[in-house]
Amino acid sequence: MSDSASSISDTPNNQNPQNQSSGRELWSSRMVFILAATGSAVGLGNIWKFPYITGENGGGAFVLIYLLCIASIGIPIMMAEIMLGRRGRHDPVTTMKKLARESGHSRSWGLLGWMGVIAGFLILSYYSVIAGWAMAYIPRMASGAFQGLDAAGVNSVFTTLVSNPEVLIAWHSIFLFMTMMVVARGVRGGLEKAVTYLMPLLFVLLIILILYAIDTGHFSQGLTYLFNPDFSKITTDGVLSAMGHAFFTLSLGMGAIMVYGSYLPSKTSIAQASISVAFMDTLVALMAGMIIFPIVFANSLEPSAGPGLIFKTLPLAFGHMDYGTLFGTLFFILLVFAAWTSSISLIEPAITWGMKTFQISRTKTSIIAGIFVWLMGLLTVFSFNLTSEVTITSTISTKYGEFVILKDATAFDFLDYLTSNIMLPLGGLMIAVYAGWLMKREYSREELNISSGLYTLWSFLVRFVAPLMVVIVFLNAMGVVAFVRTIMGV
Ligand code: PHE
């Protein structure tokens, strides 16, 4: 399908935020939208988090459930979020207010947009710090600092890095500056260019790394681990965490995809775009798994090494392989690129909202937002060194016993918990409920413009399946599932 791209997008209005609704800039083509949304979806979640939670949950069965969740929650909610964004054509707060008015519902739906703006802001504050770690690894890799190191040596490189606040602050600053530079230049000027070049490059790098993984001689072992489900290894928590991850990895529930949808030309098929984005996001996660597990097995490392899997163990592998310096450097460059395109979308809802609310330019909004995110990021930086001992534990005591929601959580753990476990699921739930139950059916039918069979399927998924599953993820995050399981003795 082709959009009459240039005629629509030839009305750039970057300098004039007041006029957003009438002359809002649009993506120059459907492909650019797909690239940008894929850039948002593919990030640390795919390359860093997916492999380690797969490793923690025993491989194949977890991957299968994750894939089912992408199809049954991810794609319908993504369609709903893009649809709301395109119909509203504003920042998430204004969009939700406008749509609620259009369908005769309360303006408090604007709160959904608000929560997204705040979630994106909070996530970016720690995302930037972790992406900073990946950046810090590029010069270390390139200079061959990991060559010949043993596990203790690699571990100490990581520990030295995270225990030094000045160094972490420096990388966090550089990464955030890169992000805000692109954001400040606006959709046409910055984002499109960034994603048009970055996404294809990302795929090329992944393919090069897969070729290397094949060369390790442990590729089939890696594939078996990823794709041969062993249901005895999966726990209820594993199922819930697969669902939660499906959600996070597609950037759903906080308005990022809604804002991107607001730049989407009206004729573009939302269903096709959503399926393409979910497909590519999943492909990148699976490719990352196919790269990491053969390397893990070839070097007798533990798949269940946890969040340190990439930072603590991959350099060990890279340090002992032919061309390890080259491949290791490429790998961390790739990770930073992926994180970069995600971080742009994390702050975009806050930027569009700020421009509208304070009537200031995109550049000014970006500078102000950047300063706040930078300051907030210090909480995460210090969580790994100066304030690592400052933790909170949150429990609920009932007559059935104590239920621990957060245990020894640092500021970073808390931010991650609050955003991934509470704010995103809640936002996704609200999007599904709004799109499925409250929005007039004629509107969603008109926006989605799919066959009536497909519309019925979408409607069923978004009204029943997705909300129910999200409620379970949410309840799990609140410790309610553990509570119920204990009462019921299962
Ligand atoms: N989806 C991104 C990742 O996998 C993270 C993200 C979440 C980006 C929410 C935007 C919004 O890393």
Side-chain angles (χ1 to χ4, degrees):
M1 145 168 337
S2 77
D3 303 305
S4 49
S6 46
S7 59
I8 302 174
S9 55
D10 268 344
T11 50
N13 219 346
N14 222 3
Q15 267 64 45
N16 188 359
Q18 290 96 311
N19 228 350
Q20 273 183 8
S21 55
S22 47
R24 194 168 178 77
E25 284 186 273
L26 300 176
W27 302 107
S28 59
S29 73
R30 182 175 75 111
M31 198 54 209
V32 177
F33 169 78
I34 290 177
L35 283 170
T38 309
S40 163
V42 175
L44 295 173
N46 305 61
I47 294 169
W48 164 70
K49 195 172 179 191
F50 172 74
Y52 93 71
I53 56 176
T54 298
E56 280 178 344
N57 288 287
F62 176 86
V63 174
L64 187 67
I65 296 166
Y66 157 81
L67 293 175
L68 286 174
C69 293
I70 294 281
S72 59
I73 311 180
I75 294 174
I77 293 192
M78 182 176 280
M79 285 170 66
E81 192 169 336
I82 297 174
M83 175 180 87
L84 298 184
R86 186 170 73 182
R87 196 160 182 93
R89 290 242 187 271
H90 273 284
D91 64 280
V93 181
T94 316
T95 286
M96 286 316 298
K97 281 190 194 156
K98 181 178 154 188
L99 293 182
R101 201 169 44 231
E102 180 188 81
S103 293
H105 297 290
S106 156
R107 278 168 62 89
S108 345
W109 279 96
L111 284 176
L112 167 60
W114 250 104
M115 191 171 66
V117 166
I118 295 168
F121 179 88
L122 294 178
I123 296 175
L124 181 59
S125 79
Y126 68 79
Y127 207 84
S128 166
V129 176
I130 310 267
W133 297 358
M135 280 186 105
Y137 267 47
I138 297 171
R140 285 168 178 73
M141 276 289 171
S143 66
F146 292 106
Q147 288 305 307
L149 286 190
D150 59 6
V154 172
N155 193 52
S156 98
V157 173
F158 181 75
T159 316
T160 309
L161 172 71
V162 299
S163 60
N164 188 330
E166 286 89 0
V167 174
L168 294 191
I169 290 173
W171 289 111
H172 163 53
S173 312
I174 295 171
F175 183 81
L176 197 59
F177 182 75
M178 280 167 49
T179 300
M180 300 325 285
M181 279 292 287
V182 177
V183 170
R185 297 184 61 196
V187 189
R188 299 289 311 282
L191 240 175
E192 272 194 23
K193 275 205 196 76
V195 294
T196 313
Y197 297 108
L198 294 182
M199 289 310 296
L201 190 60
L202 182 69
F203 273 98
V204 172
L205 288 177
L206 282 169
I207 289 166
I208 292 174
L209 283 168
I210 286 193
L211 293 179
Y212 176 77
I214 292 173
D215 204 43
T216 60
H218 287 71
F219 194 63
S220 61
Q221 197 184 344
L223 285 190
T224 309
Y225 186 78
L226 272 179
F227 297 114
N228 192 10
D230 173 356
F231 284 98
S232 70
K233 292 204 177 128
I234 195 87
T235 59
T236 318
D237 287 340
V239 175
L240 294 165
S241 117
M243 284 198 286
H245 187 64
F247 212 72
F248 179 86
T249 193
L250 292 177
S251 307
L252 296 176
M254 50 69 69
I257 293 294
M258 196 184 284
V259 168
Y260 278 16
S262 74
Y263 304 122
L264 191 65
S266 341
K267 295 223 172 53
T268 306
S269 158
I270 290 178
Q272 273 178 16
S274 303
I275 290 169
S276 311
V277 172
F279 175 79
M280 279 192 275
D281 183 77
T282 309
L283 189 65
V284 171
L286 296 179
M287 283 167 102
M290 287 191 258
I291 291 162
I292 286 159
F293 289 111
I295 294 174
V296 164
F297 294 127
N299 292 275
S300 310
L301 302 171
E302 271 304 313
S304 60
L309 189 67
I310 282 174
F311 294 106
K312 288 185 184 166
T313 57
L314 275 183
L316 185 63
F318 287 127
H320 288 88
M321 64 174 69
D322 292 343
Y323 305 111
T325 302
L326 176 67
F327 288 120
T329 309
L330 282 176
F331 184 85
F332 285 99
I333 291 176
L334 176 159
L335 188 58
V336 170
F337 277 167
W340 192 7
T341 50
S342 298
S343 62
I344 292 164
S345 73
L346 277 164
I347 200 67
E348 189 63 16
I351 299 297
T352 48
W353 171 81
M355 281 164 65
K356 165 104 190 339
T357 309
F358 304 109
Q359 301 285 312
I360 48 175
S361 73
R362 181 171 264 279
T363 311
K364 273 199 197 120
T365 317
S366 305
I367 294 170
I368 296 167
I371 292 170
F372 279 110
V373 174
W374 185 85
L375 285 173
M376 192 77 195
L378 298 183
L379 277 181
T380 295
V381 165
F382 297 142
S383 298
F384 293 94
N385 37 69
L386 303 181
T387 63
S388 61
E389 302 298 312
V390 183
T391 58
I392 53 167
T393 296
S394 161
T395 52
I396 301 177
S397 325
T398 70
K399 61 178 176 177
Y400 302 102
E402 289 252 296
F403 295 91
V404 180
I405 292 183
L406 279 172
K407 188 161 191 323
D408 297 332
T410 60
F412 162 71
D413 297 326
F414 176 72
L415 280 176
D416 185 32
Y417 176 86
L418 180 70
T419 51
S420 313
N421 293 358
I422 298 179
M423 296 173 96
L424 296 188
L426 192 59
L429 175 67
M430 287 167 75
I431 287 167
V433 167
Y434 189 86
W437 294 94
L438 298 180
M439 190 171 188
K440 288 208 175 102
R441 299 202 127 213
E442 53 178 291
Y443 294 155
S444 54
R445 223 180 261 279
E446 179 189 321
E447 285 293 334
L448 292 178
N449 195 15
I450 40 180
S451 71
S452 70
L454 277 181
Y455 181 82
T456 310
L457 176 66
W458 172 79
S459 184
F460 174 71
L461 291 172
V462 99
R463 295 177 119 209
F464 301 103
V465 179
L468 252 176
M469 287 174 129
V470 171
V471 164
I472 295 170
V473 173
F474 188 56
L475 292 182
N476 177 58
M478 301 298 290
V480 176
V481 172
F483 173 73
V484 172
R485 281 216 311 252
T486 309
I487 298 176
M488 296 172 61
V490 288

